[in-house]
Amino acid sequence: MSNYKHLLYDYLLSIGTSEAVAKYLNMFALLFVLILIVFIVDFIIRKLIRGAFTQFANKTKTNFDDLLISNKVPRNVAHIIPLLIAIEFIPIVLYDFEYSENIVEKGLLVFAIILTLWIVRSLLNTLKDYLKTLPQLKDKPIDSYIQVFMIFAWLGGFMSAIAIITGIPFVKFATGLGAISAVIILVFKDTILGFVASIQVSINDMVRIGDWITFEKYGADGDVVEINLATVKVQNFDNTITTIPTYALISDSFKNWRGMSNSGGRRIKRALYIKQDGVKYLTDEEIDKLKKIQLITSYIEVRQSDIKAYNTDNNANKELLLNGRNLTNLGIFRKYIDSYLNHHSAINKDMMIMVRQLAPTTQGIPLEIYAFSSDKRWANYEYIMADIFDHLIAALPYFDLEIFELPNNSSFNLQKSI
């Protein structure tokens, strides 16, 4: 072995080169040869491993091996043998430079730690990508767990590197970190909070990737596209991205629309405000006119028959409409809305359909429609709701009713002209 260490050195001395120059030239020559060998071996092994992985991936049905290649696992693994060669032969190259040999060996050991972390990260990224392809796991915050593991891995690697550089045994170095644990907790406060939050979010199934959430505090209204250790990314409906701290999901209130998405319909809850002075009792002539509306013909006939029987039995004086029981235009219109919704093809008949009259306000009498559209897609939902209210607003005059509107300039100008 000593012959290899001083192969060029002895020759240089024999031709009259000084001892110091001979040592440096010998070292540089051996270093050049070692670097050349390392690069050649690394290139060959990388090609062999990648080729073997590619052939194996083409023969298998699973995409796990394809993900190994895309996450550079073979390339990182290929660096192991060249690194071992460098560690083994660096004492030969730096035989006459003991101090430099110690530094370079420590550097190579530190690089070995970094390479190990690269391989672990590549494997974990491959595992993460593979698990996301599974239907039962694709909406889980897998990124959070991968990041937590990598944080501890990098922390362990950093401690190992410091222990190698300083020459302090790893156990003693790790024990000494206990004294500064409070500082570590302070530095990694957000990481710890995010880790705890991501576990709670996953266990309680509060948010999944793909969920539509509304978080007013952070201006988020869109689909969750990523859940990791520190943040949750929401792609809003205007295609902007809102980043929310993960721990905010358990400390603040937000709305998750998953229940609506998984249900049979999307809720329609909107009111028409009817002018109060348009509400009236209906005369027989007005009732006969409304019987022509097919959706409520049978209802009016049945109700008219029942009311006449009641008034006859109770000797109601119908010279005044107030006496006895009567039909009102608002009541008939309310029934018309109910029949219209029950016959509408876009309304889910298996879910609640209700038309209710709310307490009168200064803007009129609210007549609220409460139903569920079968189509939950946003654009289609808005179209269905608009179609329903377009029809109802246009139908109001047939019942001698009007929508309440605040007066405007044209209203005042009309009054002046009169």
Side-chain angles (χ1 to χ4, degrees):
M1 184 68 71
S2 59
N3 292 333
Y4 292 109
K5 295 176 183 177
H6 281 165
L7 183 63
L8 186 60
Y9 174 78
D10 294 336
Y11 171 76
L12 292 172
L13 288 179
S14 66
I15 61 174
T17 307
S18 66
E19 185 176 344
V21 173
K23 286 182 180 180
Y24 279 103
L25 291 176
N26 182 77
M27 183 268 291
F28 283 123
L30 293 176
L31 182 62
F32 175 77
V33 172
L34 178 61
I35 292 174
L36 184 63
I37 292 173
V38 166
F39 271 96
I40 292 174
V41 171
D42 182 77
F43 177 79
I44 294 173
I45 293 178
R46 189 166 68 247
K47 290 293 184 182
L48 290 174
I49 293 180
R50 184 175 178 83
F53 264 85
T54 302
Q55 290 181 359
F56 181 73
N58 293 333
K59 294 179 180 179
T60 58
K61 295 181 179 180
T62 179
N63 65 338
F64 184 79
D65 37 26
D66 299 307
L67 294 173
L68 285 172
I69 296 173
S70 63
N71 283 290
K72 303 177 181 179
V73 174
R75 190 179 77 172
N76 291 333
V77 171
H79 295 322
I80 295 177
I81 294 178
L83 179 60
L84 293 176
I85 293 174
I87 293 174
E88 180 67 24
F89 287 94
I90 204 66
I92 299 175
V93 174
L94 300 174
Y95 177 75
D96 295 313
F97 302 89
E98 186 176 348
Y99 179 75
S100 299
E101 177 188 343
N102 185 43
I103 294 176
V104 174
E105 283 184 341
K106 288 182 177 181
L108 289 174
L109 291 176
V110 170
F111 180 74
I113 294 172
I114 295 174
L115 179 60
T116 302
L117 292 173
W118 283 350
I119 295 172
V120 171
R121 183 184 62 182
S122 299
L123 289 171
L124 289 177
N125 286 335
T126 301
L127 181 63
K128 176 190 69 176
D129 294 340
Y130 176 73
L131 292 177
K132 284 185 175 181
T133 63
L134 303 179
Q136 63 271 29
L137 294 175
K138 66 179 181 180
D139 55 0
K140 301 300 180 184
I142 300 171
D143 291 350
S144 298
Y145 306 118
I146 299 297
Q147 288 176 350
V148 169
F149 188 90
M150 283 308 302
I151 285 173
F152 284 107
W154 279 107
L155 183 61
F158 176 76
M159 292 168 57
S160 300
I162 297 297
I164 290 172
I165 293 171
T166 59
I168 302 173
F170 180 81
V171 176
K172 289 184 178 180
F173 183 78
T175 305
L177 286 178
I180 58 171
S181 58
V183 177
I184 294 175
I185 292 174
L186 182 63
V187 171
F188 292 100
K189 176 177 70 70
D190 290 340
T191 302
I192 295 171
L193 287 174
F195 174 56
V196 175
S198 63
I199 292 176
Q200 290 183 324
V201 166
S202 178
I203 292 175
N204 298 321
D205 199 20
M206 297 169 63
V207 176
R208 300 175 188 169
I209 295 174
D211 282 356
W212 169 18
I213 69 170
T214 303
F215 210 139
E216 295 182 359
K217 180 178 178 180
Y218 293 93
D221 185 15
D223 297 327
V224 176
V225 294
E226 183 179 327
I227 302 175
N228 54 44
L229 186 62
T231 59
V232 174
K233 290 184 179 179
V234 178
Q235 183 172 9
N236 301 309
F237 293 122
D238 59 359
N239 288 328
T240 58
I241 301 293
T242 299
T243 302
I244 303 170
T246 306
Y247 57 80
L249 297 177
I250 60 174
S251 62
D252 296 315
S253 177
F254 69 96
K255 183 183 291 186
N256 190 330
W257 295 83
R258 189 198 313 158
M260 178 275 296
S261 300
N262 294 339
S263 68
R266 184 170 179 179
R267 186 181 70 174
I268 298 173
K269 185 174 180 288
R270 183 182 289 183
L272 292 168
Y273 285 80
I274 310 298
K275 274 188 178 181
Q276 299 185 34
D277 57 6
V279 181
K280 64 179 181 178
Y281 293 125
L282 296 173
T283 64
D284 289 339
E285 292 78 11
E286 290 171 329
I287 292 174
D288 291 338
K289 183 180 178 181
L290 290 176
K291 283 182 183 179
K292 297 178 181 178
I293 302 175
Q294 294 180 345
L295 284 177
I296 53 175
T297 300
S298 59
Y299 168 79
I300 292 176
E301 290 175 347
V302 172
R303 291 291 295 156
Q304 189 179 28
S305 176
D306 292 342
I307 288 173
K308 283 184 177 180
Y310 175 86
N311 290 336
T312 301
D313 294 341
N314 290 275
N315 297 318
N317 182 7
K318 295 310 294 176
E319 293 181 4
L320 189 65
L321 282 176
L322 179 64
N323 295 324
R325 294 175 61 184
N326 301 278
L327 289 171
T328 65
N329 58 346
L330 183 60
I332 295 292
F333 181 60
R334 190 173 67 248
K335 179 60 182 178
Y336 173 78
I337 297 175
D338 183 76
S339 297
Y340 177 74
L341 293 175
N342 276 283
H343 285 83
H344 200 290
S345 60
I347 296 297
N348 190 331
K349 312 303 186 300
D350 296 327
M351 303 183 76
M352 180 177 287
I353 299 175
M354 179 173 62
V355 183
R356 59 175 184 164
Q357 184 183 129
L358 304 180
T361 69
T362 55
Q363 283 79 40
I365 301 174
L367 208 59
E368 186 180 78
I369 287 85
Y370 192 99
F372 292 84
S373 69
S374 300
D375 197 329
K376 294 169 286 186
R377 290 171 293 180
W378 190 10
N380 294 351
Y381 163 78
E382 293 290 348
Y383 176 83
I384 292 167
M385 185 163 56
D387 179 70
I388 290 172
F389 279 87
D390 287 348
H391 177 85
L392 296 179
I393 292 172
L396 273 169
Y398 290 89
F399 299 86
D400 291 332
L401 294 170
E402 293 182 76
I403 291 287
F404 177 86
E405 288 184 349
L406 292 172
N408 52 35
N409 290 336
S410 60
S411 302
F412 292 116
N413 292 334
L414 180 62
Q415 290 179 359
K416 287 179 181 180
S417 64
I418 294 174

